Amino acid sequence: MLKNLLAILACMLFGFSYGQVKSPAEFLGYPVGTKVTPHWKVLAYYDHILKQVPGQVKMESYGESYEGRPLRVYYISSAKHIANLDQIRTNNLKLAHALEGDGDSNGPAIVWISNNIHGNETSSIEASMLTLYALVDPQNSKSKAWLENTLVILDPCLNPDGTERYNNWYNGVVGKNYNPQLYAREHREPWPAGRYNHYYFDMNRDWAWQTQQESVLRASIYNKWLPHIHVDFHEQGINSPYYFPPAAEPLHEVITPWQREFQTTIGKHNAKYFDSKGWLYFTKERFDLFYPSYGDTYPIYSGAIGMTFEKAGNGSAGLGVYTDDKDTLTLVDRAIQHHASGLNVIEIVSQHAPKVVAEFKKFGDDAASGKLSSFQTYIVKYDASREKTLRALLTLLDKNKIKYYAASGSVRGFDYFSKKDGNHTLQEKDLVIPGNQSKGALIRVLFEPEAKLTDSVTYDITAWSLPYVYGLPTLASKSKLADLRPYSLDSIQNTVGSNFGYAIKWDGFSSAQLLGALLKQQVTVKASDQSFKIGAEEFPKGSLLIMKNGNKQKEVDKLVKAEADRLQVRVYAIQSGIMEGGKDLGSSDVKTLKAPKVLMMAGEGLRATNVGEVWHYFDQQLQYPIVLVNPTDFSRVKWDEVDVFIMPNGNYAFLKDKAQSAEFASWIRKGGKVIALEGVVSQLAAQEWSAMKVAKQDSATKSKSNPLKKYGDRERGALENYTAGAIYKVTIDNSHPLMFGIKDYFTLKQDANLYQYMENNAGWNVGYIQENAKMSGFVGHQLGKKLKNGMVFGTQKLGQGTVVYLADNVLFRNFWESGKLVMANAVFFAVE
Ligand SMILES: [Zn+2]
């Protein structure tokens, strides 16, 4: 191994070549790590290898990033395996019970290596070229032997848009020689940083939710393979030398003894090599295995040994940087270490290949028999008024290859909303998700009401149970159900041609998507703030009415049909202007909705991921225009053209500028609408005109400090007042337009902030947390006592304008499905 790596290093540095197969240094014209290589050039090197050794390498394109850059994987193995790729793949899916039939356990072990999901963590994409070369180098007898029983799948770059954002910036600011001073500008990456994709999403939080195009495409090809080992390469701060498995607690309970054991085997093997080089590292710290949407956990819950590897580096490292202990951290070293880890993993997996495959099969067998489940069945109860949200859930299940059914009979189980056990007679459209299937472990993690934490110090949120995220009444049952039938909801094909017009129920996010699409196309749309009936159909508050007479848009029928069919939303023909149980169509309470002009600031000072959540929501989900403005351009905005100003989390300098904040308040008073998110609520609460006040703690719940606390307990002690993210029930006033179409709302509480109820008609308290409202997740016991009797969602009228306060993130990572309608209500309806 050592000799082998030295040989590779020599090639890398001096550019030796073997026949037609060029080393990366020879191909690039410089040793790997001495320059930051553009994405296209990395792919060009891969294609060079593909051309030279077609028998051992195969490429599959799996789509494009948002900015149109290619997404690809390369398969590398012995000629025998490369000739049989599809047979290996389908056989493997049989082992996982993802395909019918008996799989054969004699196939090769499958190692998948993912690089650069965070685009400014530069070393892994560079290292991957060295790894590719080591695997195909004709002189390398070791790798040849590994590939006899191992198939390697290399994804050179999961996030090419972020990678190129970083690379272009870095190559533009670095001089002929790099400057290692940390305060030099080449170590000060500008907003929003290359870590994120086009919409500023952290894609290493998005594996399960797949809100981003790159995530959807990757999960699709990943689930077509289900590899046995998944390596996810990253970089951490420049002063933390190297992290590799085994992972830190908490580990989710569903993780099997074998998955734990083999992480340790891999870690020890890597440690041996690092020790031989005198390289520093740590294991079992910081990087836990709990939240399901990472590049280690998602593969683990799908049967792999999923692992994170972190080298010192990231956007501040450049080609070389001084660390705190006066060492110089170089990209050359970073690449060499990730390259070494990659080869070490392949080597140890090859040594254990039969066992790796056998254990993968066992995971599949256990998942399929329900051994990995805590509850055996999840039943999402059908409610016609939540069908749109149910459709959104089905989309998520399909993306994750989770199978669902219909069934009959009765069942006993835990009711998520009441938190009590109860009986339920199954209805025709109730959705049944059996725990005993290929994705049984993932189902358990996504659905179980409460995941057991072995340690409360965790890297991320502690609750994400889908019935709360979607606001769908669900039972978790210990029973398996028999006689499962295929499940589907009717595909919606609307019939149009009414003389009068159409009504659309306001009861899910797709209602809002349809509204956005119609407004964008100049269709005149009205909304009723009273519920009404057409025949037997009930239309809740907020439902939309589209009259043909007097409509600005003359092609109403055609547009309504096209958009409603695309979004799978039912439209109902209106036969008469008299509405049963509601105001008639000519009533002044049936108001025409204005197509609001929406603006948001996006730039330095604001949290990029929160800006990205709003941007993606408008641009991709609503497909409704939003103007993004640099925060420094406050005074350039033509505010009289703006109707809605959205303020994602961050610091707004204009609020501290006397003249600008006065201009802002005067814009609201003249009829502007502000939607303040998360921490911005407290910034606005500090303005003299705001009716919001942070909730006071009563003396009984004030935490008393313990003077005799132990030093060694300080980390855990700090958790008493902490939550990383837990789910709370929000009591809602759904007669208020901000909550139209919502029946139950559960919020992700990520901080200690609650607000006092607004009194004396100062505003509306639309969503608040009462006693015993915690549904799921970890909250420190001192904080737990405080999180009650306070407001999270409210509105205030100011002059002719409105301020909407959303203290919790309703668009969290854009998977918090029920929050999307709250945001749409805030944008489109008069919410004073
Ligand atoms: Zn990373």
Side-chain angles (χ1 to χ4, degrees):
M1 181 81 195
L2 180 62
K3 221 167 110 193
N4 187 30
L5 276 176
L6 284 175
I8 295 157
L9 191 60
C11 288
M12 192 184 81
L13 292 171
F14 307 113
F16 296 157
S17 74
Y18 295 109
Q20 293 302 304
V21 182
K22 289 182 182 169
S23 71
E26 202 173 26
F27 182 86
L28 300 168
Y30 54 86
V32 165
T34 58
K35 283 188 183 187
V36 170
T37 311
H39 178 249
W40 65 265
K41 210 166 183 180
V42 174
L43 293 189
Y45 179 67
Y46 272 75
D47 287 344
H48 159 73
I49 297 294
L50 181 66
K51 216 171 138 193
Q52 296 307 319
V53 278
Q56 273 173 265
V57 182
K58 218 169 185 173
M59 187 273 279
E60 185 172 354
S61 164
Y62 67 89
E64 282 185 351
S65 66
Y66 277 120
E67 293 175 20
R69 295 188 175 88
L71 298 168
R72 296 175 180 175
V73 291
Y74 291 77
Y75 304 96
I76 306 121
S77 193
S78 66
K80 182 182 91 183
H81 295 320
I82 290 297
N84 278 316
L85 276 184
D86 209 50
Q87 189 271 327
I88 295 169
R89 188 183 69 78
T90 50
N91 180 68
N92 193 55
L93 291 181
K94 287 176 189 166
L95 294 181
H97 292 264
L99 274 185
E100 300 264 328
D102 288 330
D104 160 1
S105 302
N106 298 320
I110 304 169
V111 178
W112 186 301
I113 299 179
S114 287
N115 301 290
N116 263 51
I117 190 163
H118 292 147
N120 60 0
E121 299 175 2
T122 318
S123 61
S124 65
I125 183 171
E126 304 277 355
S128 81
M129 291 185 279
L130 299 175
T131 302
L132 175 67
Y133 180 61
L135 293 175
V136 299
D137 174 1
Q139 307 298 315
N140 192 328
S141 56
K142 276 196 162 186
S143 64
K144 237 196 200 88
W146 304 336
L147 296 178
E148 286 302 310
N149 66 3
T150 305
L151 165 66
V152 177
I153 306 176
L154 266 180
D155 185 333
C157 186
L158 281 67
N159 178 11
D161 295 348
T163 297
E164 286 299 85
R165 185 182 309 131
Y166 173 81
N167 290 358
N168 283 327
W169 166 76
Y170 184 78
N171 286 330
V173 295
V174 69
K176 191 160 177 288
N177 300 306
Y178 66 80
N179 186 322
Q181 292 291 355
L182 186 55
Y183 52 76
R185 65 169 183 169
E186 67 204 63
H187 305 292
R188 306 285 296 159
E189 193 187 1
W191 197 93
R195 177 181 179 87
Y196 310 116
N197 77 339
H198 178 75
Y199 287 102
Y200 314 155
F201 271 64
D202 185 334
M203 292 203 289
N204 194 32
R205 308 289 182 274
D206 194 45
W207 275 80
W209 321 128
Q210 295 164 45
T211 68
Q212 301 302 292
Q213 180 169 307
E214 294 89 347
S215 309
V216 175
L217 295 166
R218 177 183 356 102
S220 167
I221 189 165
Y222 184 92
N223 284 315
K224 262 169 63 188
W225 273 97
L226 295 174
H228 309 145
I229 308 288
H230 184 254
V231 175
D232 198 26
F233 278 125
H234 288 266
E235 289 186 338
Q236 51 192 346
I238 58 169
N239 295 303
S240 302
Y242 203 103
Y243 161 83
F244 54 78
E249 291 288 342
L251 270 71
H252 193 284
E253 276 185 299
V254 79
I255 298 173
T256 65
W258 160 255
Q259 287 175 320
R260 289 166 181 255
E261 180 196 322
F262 201 62
Q263 278 219 344
T264 306
T265 307
I266 290 172
K268 282 189 171 159
H269 185 65
N270 208 40
K272 211 161 69 187
Y273 187 84
F274 272 52
D275 289 345
S276 76
K277 295 280 183 186
W279 295 341
L280 288 177
Y281 57 87
F282 66 94
T283 66
K284 305 186 289 290
E285 279 181 65
R286 202 176 308 161
F287 302 100
D288 59 65
L289 298 173
F290 199 59
Y291 171 79
S293 231
Y294 285 111
D296 49 18
T297 47
Y298 185 84
I300 286 181
Y301 303 146
S302 304
I305 313 293
M307 294 171 295
T308 294
F309 286 72
E310 302 260 355
K311 174 60 195 161
N314 84 51
S316 63
L319 288 173
V321 66
Y322 291 149
T323 59
D324 282 354
D325 47 14
K326 305 283 182 278
D327 205 358
T328 306
L329 173 70
T330 64
L331 183 57
V332 172
D333 291 339
R334 285 150 62 203
I336 286 173
Q337 291 193 9
H338 266 347
H339 167 53
S341 292
L343 288 191
N344 288 336
V345 170
I346 297 165
E347 180 175 47
I348 189 79
V349 169
S350 169
Q351 285 170 16
H352 294 79
K355 175 83 170 156
V356 167
V357 181
E359 288 287 346
F360 178 79
K361 178 183 187 311
K362 182 171 183 303
F363 186 98
D365 292 347
D366 288 350
S369 67
K371 272 193 201 156
L372 300 181
S373 312
S374 46
F375 293 94
Q376 291 300 326
T377 312
Y378 299 94
I379 300 113
V380 181
K381 296 184 210 170
Y382 181 81
D383 168 356
S385 72
R386 307 189 210 224
E387 189 185 297
K388 293 185 173 87
T389 312
L390 181 60
R391 285 179 190 270
L393 178 65
L394 296 183
T395 304
L396 181 75
L397 300 180
D398 290 340
K399 283 178 182 170
N400 285 293
K401 305 286 171 219
I402 291 173
K403 293 177 187 140
Y404 47 81
Y405 304 88
S408 323
S410 66
V411 66
R412 186 165 179 79
F414 172 87
D415 183 313
Y416 284 71
F417 290 7
S418 69
K419 299 192 91 174
K420 291 191 177 105
D421 282 340
N423 293 315
H424 175 71
T425 304
L426 284 156
Q427 307 296 314
E428 191 196 335
K429 290 185 184 173
D430 285 347
L431 178 73
V432 173
I433 304 157
N436 57 327
Q437 53 173 301
S438 179
K439 288 279 189 168
L442 183 67
I443 292 167
R444 171 177 174 178
V445 177
L446 295 181
F447 275 88
E448 68 185 349
E450 183 90 66
K452 194 173 145 199
L453 268 168
T454 51
D455 191 324
S456 42
V457 186
T458 163
Y459 205 71
D460 212 303
I461 60 169
T462 57
W464 48 78
S465 185
L466 293 179
Y468 299 127
V469 173
Y470 281 71
L472 290 171
T474 302
L475 280 185
S477 174
K478 300 268 183 198
S479 314
K480 283 183 187 168
L481 297 184
D483 302 325
L484 300 174
R485 303 187 303 272
Y487 184 93
S488 71
L489 293 171
D490 302 338
S491 161
I492 294 171
Q493 293 289 323
N494 289 291
T495 316
V496 290
S498 159
N499 289 329
F500 223 92
Y502 304 98
I504 295 158
K505 293 181 184 180
W506 190 262
D507 55 2
F509 181 54
S510 53
S511 307
Q513 291 176 295
L514 180 53
L515 172 61
L518 294 175
L519 287 180
K520 196 169 71 177
Q521 297 177 81
Q522 274 81 47
V523 177
T524 308
V525 183
K526 296 176 179 224
S528 170
D529 55 14
Q530 300 294 318
S531 56
F532 60 87
K533 273 175 117 178
I534 298 178
E537 293 294 337
E538 308 242 10
F539 290 76
K541 294 185 173 74
S543 290
L544 307 176
L545 295 156
I546 299 156
M547 299 294 108
K548 287 174 77 171
N549 195 359
N551 209 303
K552 259 198 301 187
Q553 170 58 261
K554 296 300 160 210
E555 305 229 40
V556 167
D557 287 345
K558 201 175 116 194
L559 277 171
V560 165
K561 174 158 173 63
E563 296 295 348
D565 286 359
R566 170 178 73 86
L567 292 158
Q568 291 292 286
V569 173
R570 267 184 201 94
V571 298
Y572 299 84
I574 299 170
Q575 309 299 350
S576 158
I578 297 176
M579 303 305 256
E580 294 166 53
K583 299 280 169 68
D584 291 338
L585 286 182
S587 161
S588 59
D589 284 349
V590 179
K591 295 188 186 84
T592 298
L593 292 172
K594 192 179 170 192
K597 295 206 171 58
V598 185
L599 181 140
M600 167 175 66
M601 285 182 176
E604 205 72 60
L606 308 184
R607 197 175 298 162
T609 51
N610 295 137
V611 170
E613 285 161 358
V614 176
W615 187 19
H616 185 266
Y617 174 86
F618 277 89
D619 213 31
Q620 291 286 334
Q621 300 181 52
L622 276 181
Q623 301 190 17
Y624 187 83
I626 182 169
V627 182
L628 273 57
V629 175
N630 281 320
T632 45
D633 284 342
F634 180 91
S635 55
R636 292 176 69 93
V637 174
K638 291 181 180 161
W639 285 99
D640 55 354
E641 292 176 359
V642 178
D643 300 304
V644 177
F645 176 41
I646 301 184
M647 301 177 74
N649 220 348
N651 286 311
Y652 289 85
F654 77 83
L655 289 174
K656 293 180 189 104
D657 178 296
K658 237 181 169 177
Q660 289 186 346
S661 74
E663 196 190 333
F664 171 60
S666 121
W667 170 77
I668 304 172
R669 287 198 172 91
K670 278 189 268 175
K673 186 197 282 180
V674 174
I675 302 174
L677 298 165
E678 299 181 86
V680 181
V681 173
S682 65
Q683 287 175 56
L684 293 191
Q687 300 284 309
E688 47 82 24
W689 48 260
S690 177
M692 288 292 271
K693 287 185 184 63
V694 174
K696 278 184 262 170
Q697 297 169 32
D698 58 54
S699 53
T701 57
K702 246 185 203 154
S703 51
K704 293 189 185 72
S705 74
N706 172 12
L708 302 180
K709 66 185 177 200
K710 290 203 165 68
Y711 177 77
D713 293 341
R714 64 195 186 286
E715 196 183 22
R716 243 137 273 272
L719 291 175
E720 287 181 357
N721 282 297
Y722 175 74
T723 177
I727 297 176
Y728 275 74
K729 179 180 172 59
V730 179
T731 305
I732 56 173
D733 172 4
N734 57 11
S735 70
H736 189 283
L738 187 59
M739 287 296 152
F740 277 178
I742 293 165
K743 283 185 151 175
D744 295 279
Y745 193 83
F746 302 91
T747 193
L748 180 68
K749 200 86 205 96
Q750 293 183 278
D751 57 30
N753 288 346
L754 281 183
Y755 292 84
Q756 290 180 34
Y757 297 139
M758 287 184 275
E759 288 176 6
N760 305 321
N761 300 318
W764 292 105
N765 303 295
V766 188
Y768 40 96
I769 287 176
Q770 297 182 298
E771 305 258 355
N772 302 319
K774 198 193 101 175
M775 307 304 282
S776 179
F778 170 80
V779 176
H781 74 276
Q782 289 296 350
L783 178 58
K785 286 189 222 162
K786 292 175 213 162
L787 282 177
K788 61 181 183 187
N789 300 325
M791 194 223 306
V792 286
F793 303 142
T795 65
Q796 177 190 353
K797 195 154 168 69
L798 186 69
Q800 299 301 306
T802 322
V803 185
V804 181
Y805 300 102
L806 303 175
D808 289 344
N809 189 354
V810 292
L811 298 180
F812 183 69
R813 294 178 187 166
N814 280 7
F815 82 92
W816 212 264
E817 185 64 28
S818 46
K820 294 178 186 173
L821 192 55
V822 177
M823 178 59 98
N825 287 337
V827 171
F828 292 116
F829 291 150
V831 284
E832 57 236 29

